[in-house]
Amino acid sequence: MSRVWNAYESFLLSNASQITAVESSLRSFTYILPGRFKDAELAGEAIYAAVHLLGMYHDSVLFRIVYARSARDAQASNVRAGADVPKMSLHARYTAYWRSLSGKYHRAATALMIVEATQLLAEMLARRRLGKARAWDVVVAIEAIKAALRFSLVRASQRRPVISPPLPQREFDPALLERQRVPGSAATWQGSRTGIIRRSLSTMQGRDAYEHLLSHTLTEQDVSPPPLLVRALSTNIGSAAECLWILRPLVYVLLLRHYGPRDTRPFVTSLLLEWLARAVRKQALLPRGLAAKDMPPPPPSSISLMLTMLGIENSMLDWLASSLSAQPRHPALKPVSAVEGDEWASRDRAFWWYLLRGPVWYQWTRPKIAGFVARTEKRRIIGLLGSIVGEYLPLIDDYYYYSSV
């Protein structure tokens, strides 16, 4: 079996750019499948889940080979590690560190990404095989598993918040692997100590040379130990905030199963829990004795100003914009690294998904989208886009994971 995997990995490395193009094409194809034939959404999601899982394996192989720790590993893989390959991102450094340090983290992170890749497919199959009522039981079970895995990630990373995605991703053009250089040629030079082959600066011109040098410039965060890229949950308040964020989806689906998606109570409860988790997280970062109310108010956000200029008066949109776009009012509220900042920004953007949920979806967002589809159905190009968008309206109505993160 190992020979088969080795042969497949060699094939992947030799055709990395073509395989990536096929993956991207298949993912794009699944977006236009719903509504084209009976059970098209199920077929499309099955393809998407399979491509996603295969892409996860490809990411792990390419990451392991490209960022090989020794020249011997790189040569054994027939890859010129370091040739035109950008430096490892902070997210990759952080997640790779915990993956290599803790087997528990690696298993929990892998399981979480597999569950997230297949959750919508599982909900679709449950709806067809078990019925609508039992399908909610499957969704509740999936959210319970995800919550347990996220708590495992917190413990395995020594009480640090969950970073999404929890494993390194493909962050470079796979075509770089196919740019094999001949050792000793004018286009490359080989280190005498490491044996690593790198591109010669004499072959670069202008902007190309500048970007190459800039990509290898080290910052303070680049040399920081990976655990310092994300602050640990040092207080009970910080732990409570993370628990609220992890448990919110589970509470939401439990309320949806009991009250239904059109009821206001699940929507309001979920929104309040998510907002509370964000507020408590900020309070946990402030020095003791300093409350958020004691700090000066933030300036109006650019999004709020734009909504005002456009004449759009909507209290919820303005609240979301001002809440998510406010500048930090205390140094402690600033992220210590891009890893932490990206995770906070991702959690803040999750608030916009509430436009596709509950009474806001049925009473405000859906009618506006349906009106757009109706107005554009007889136009050539934009009408095609409208028809594709229209096919997703009943899917968002019926399936939870079309509007979840």
Side-chain angles (χ1 to χ4, degrees):
M1 182 62 69
S2 60
R3 291 183 178 180
V4 175
W5 287 118
N6 291 336
Y8 181 76
E9 290 183 2
S10 298
F11 172 78
L12 171 63
L13 295 174
S14 301
N15 304 273
S17 60
Q18 292 87 344
I19 292 176
T20 300
V22 171
E23 291 176 1
S24 178
S25 299
L26 287 175
R27 287 192 180 98
S28 301
F29 176 68
T30 59
Y31 295 145
I32 62 175
L33 268 184
R36 301 293 173 253
F37 53 87
K38 184 180 180 181
D39 291 335
E41 66 277 6
L42 179 61
E45 189 56 34
I47 296 173
Y48 184 87
V51 172
H52 196 153
L53 293 175
L54 188 60
M56 286 174 52
Y57 173 69
H58 291 168
D59 289 351
S60 65
V61 172
L62 294 175
F63 183 86
R64 184 180 73 246
I65 299 302
V66 172
Y67 296 109
R69 291 298 181 185
S70 67
R72 183 183 62 182
D73 294 338
Q75 292 172 358
S77 306
N78 296 319
V79 175
R80 307 300 185 189
D84 295 343
V85 176
K87 65 181 180 182
M88 190 184 303
S89 70
L90 296 179
H91 174 271
R93 286 185 60 231
Y94 178 81
T95 53
Y97 171 82
W98 290 113
R99 182 184 64 177
S100 61
L101 181 68
S102 171
K104 183 179 181 181
Y105 181 95
H106 189 188
R107 291 189 294 271
T110 303
L112 178 60
M113 293 189 67
I114 291 175
V115 171
E116 290 177 342
T118 58
Q119 59 190 8
L120 179 54
L121 178 62
E123 183 185 8
M124 288 182 172
L125 292 174
R127 181 68 64 90
R128 285 163 172 76
R129 298 289 183 85
L130 305 177
K132 186 175 182 179
R134 295 291 301 277
W136 277 114
D137 295 337
V138 174
V139 172
V140 170
I142 292 174
E143 290 301 329
I145 293 172
K146 288 165 61 177
L149 292 173
R150 285 173 176 145
F151 279 121
S152 297
L153 291 177
V154 172
R155 289 192 294 269
S157 60
Q158 300 175 3
R159 289 173 54 85
R160 283 174 172 79
V162 178
I163 299 299
S164 301
L167 292 177
Q169 301 297 290
R170 194 180 314 176
E171 300 172 335
F172 54 87
D173 184 1
L176 296 173
L177 303 181
E178 300 173 11
R179 298 176 185 173
Q180 300 286 339
R181 305 286 185 179
V182 178
S185 68
T188 61
W189 62 271
Q190 185 172 13
S192 58
R193 181 174 59 86
T194 63
I196 294 178
I197 299 172
R198 297 191 182 276
R199 187 178 177 185
S200 175
L201 289 178
S202 61
T203 63
M204 305 181 192
Q205 295 180 354
R207 188 71 180 175
D208 191 17
Y210 173 77
E211 293 180 351
H212 176 79
L213 292 174
L214 188 63
S215 67
H216 289 81
T217 302
L218 296 179
T219 65
E220 181 182 354
Q221 295 181 15
D222 291 326
V223 297
S224 297
L228 298 184
L229 297 176
V230 176
R231 282 173 283 191
L233 303 170
S234 57
T235 64
N236 292 333
I237 297 178
S239 300
E242 192 68 10
C243 288
L244 283 174
W245 179 80
I246 292 175
L247 292 175
R248 195 277 310 162
L250 179 59
V251 174
Y252 183 43
V253 297
L254 285 171
L255 293 176
L256 284 177
R257 183 179 64 171
H258 183 74
Y259 294 108
R262 293 179 180 268
D263 196 279
T264 306
R265 284 167 287 189
F267 177 86
V268 173
T269 302
S270 177
L271 182 59
L272 288 177
L273 286 177
E274 196 139 6
W275 176 85
L276 183 62
R278 183 176 184 269
V280 172
R281 183 198 74 204
K282 287 190 171 185
Q283 184 61 43
L285 297 175
L286 293 175
R288 289 188 177 183
L290 180 64
K293 63 180 180 180
D294 300 327
M295 294 184 293
S301 66
S302 57
I303 300 179
S304 297
L305 292 175
M306 183 181 66
L307 292 175
T308 302
M309 293 175 61
L310 294 175
I312 300 176
E313 297 182 1
N314 184 280
S315 57
M316 180 177 180
L317 284 178
D318 189 66
W319 175 80
L320 281 174
S322 60
S323 177
L324 304 184
S325 302
Q327 296 295 323
R329 291 176 282 168
H330 191 278
L333 297 178
K334 296 181 180 180
V336 297
S337 72
V339 180
E340 195 173 78
D342 290 344
E343 179 61 26
W344 291 359
S346 175
R347 296 188 185 188
D348 288 346
R349 287 193 300 270
F351 280 95
W352 293 102
W353 284 95
Y354 283 92
L355 296 175
L356 303 181
R357 299 175 185 169
V360 172
W361 164 251
Y362 290 106
Q363 299 175 19
W364 191 80
T365 311
R366 196 185 195 285
K368 291 186 179 298
I369 297 178
F372 166 79
V373 173
R375 289 192 302 269
T376 59
E377 61 181 354
K378 295 183 179 180
R379 300 183 182 181
R380 293 184 178 179
I381 299 179
I382 197 171
L384 176 61
L385 174 62
S387 65
I388 294 175
V389 173
E391 297 294 346
Y392 279 90
L393 294 180
L395 298 179
I396 297 176
D397 292 340
D398 294 338
Y399 296 105
Y400 167 76
Y401 284 113
Y402 268 108
S403 58
S404 70
V405 289

